[in-house]
Amino acid sequence: MVMHIDDIKALAHRAHSDAGFRDSLFEEMQGDDLREAYNAAWALTHLPKEDTIYIDTRRARLTDFAISTPDTSLRRLSLVLLERLEWGREALDDERYVRLLDFCLEHMVLADEPYGIKSLCMKIAYQMCRHYQELKEELRQSLLLMEPSELGTGVRHTRNKILGEMR
C-alpha cells in the first residue's frame, strides 16, 4: 500500500520510542516485499537526529544493502541514511567501506544514475576522502571531469559545494 508522509512520520515517531519496532523496520527494508521495504526505509529516514546512533550500529549491513540493491529508490533511501553518519579516518580500514567508496566514486559520474543518488554518492565520497590527500585529489579530479551543463541543478550545487570545501 502506498503510504502518505503523515503515515511515514507516524511510523518514524513510533520507531523512535520503540526499539523493537525500529528493528522490524530495518528488517522490512531489506525484505522481499518491495512496497513494504520502501515504506520501512522511508520511515527510517524520518527518524530524529538522536537516532543516528541506531543507524550507525547497522552501518555494515546498510552499506552492503546500499551497494547491492537493484532498486534505485531503496538505494537512494539507504544512501540517505549512510550520508548522515560520520565517516572518520578509520572507515577505510574496512574493506566493506572501501567498496562503498568505490561504489560512490563510480555512481556519482554515471550518466543514467538518478540525480539524488549522484549527489548522495558525492557527499559520502567526500566525507570518506577528506582525511586522505591522495583520495581527496582523486575525488576532486572526478568532480572536475563532470560537465556542469550536463548536471541537474542539485547535483551541480553539490559538486560546487564540495569543490569549494576542498579549496
Side-chain angles (χ1 to χ4, degrees):
M1 132 177 121
V2 175
M3 297 187 87
H4 297 283
I5 188 64
D6 291 338
D7 300 320
I8 294 298
K9 288 179 179 178
L11 289 175
H13 181 73
R14 179 176 170 203
H16 173 64
S17 58
D18 181 343
F21 184 66
R22 199 170 44 234
D23 289 339
S24 70
L25 284 178
F26 189 79
E27 294 304 320
E28 281 178 29
M29 179 180 92
Q30 299 177 55
D32 294 330
D33 183 322
L34 198 55
R35 178 51 53 195
E36 281 185 19
Y38 179 76
N39 288 334
W42 194 18
L44 289 170
T45 66
H46 281 79
L47 287 172
K49 286 197 184 290
E50 58 262 27
D51 287 337
T52 301
I53 188 77
Y54 171 81
I55 301 302
D56 195 38
T57 64
R58 278 135 183 93
R59 180 188 302 242
R61 281 187 60 200
L62 190 56
T63 296
D64 292 339
F65 180 72
I67 291 171
S68 66
T69 184
D71 185 82
T72 55
S73 294
L74 287 173
R75 183 179 309 128
R76 179 180 49 79
L77 291 168
S78 58
L79 288 171
V80 165
L81 294 169
L82 289 169
E83 189 265 333
R84 292 179 181 172
L85 302 178
E86 286 294 320
W87 292 94
R89 187 178 257 298
E90 71 285 346
L92 295 180
D93 292 340
D94 187 319
E95 181 60 34
R96 169 181 284 122
Y97 305 125
V98 173
R99 285 194 314 271
L100 175 62
L101 176 58
D102 290 342
F103 175 90
C104 288
L105 291 170
E106 176 186 346
H107 285 256
M108 70 183 207
V109 297
L110 290 178
D112 60 342
E113 194 70 80
Y115 290 153
I117 292 175
K118 284 183 180 199
S119 290
L120 289 162
C121 283
M122 285 180 204
K123 291 176 181 180
I124 293 169
Y126 175 64
Q127 288 181 38
M128 295 176 92
C129 291
R130 67 181 179 204
H131 306 288
Y132 300 93
Q133 190 56 41
E134 63 279 4
L135 290 176
K136 246 172 71 171
E137 184 57 28
E138 180 181 341
L139 175 61
R140 189 175 86 70
Q141 290 301 320
S142 295
L143 292 171
L144 289 172
L145 288 174
M146 298 171 83
E147 184 57 49
S149 63
E150 296 175 8
L151 303 174
T153 306
V155 177
R156 190 169 47 247
H157 173 76
T158 300
R159 173 189 173 270
N160 292 341
K161 184 175 179 187
I162 291 171
L163 286 170
E165 289 179 18
M166 289 179 155
R167 286 189 195 107

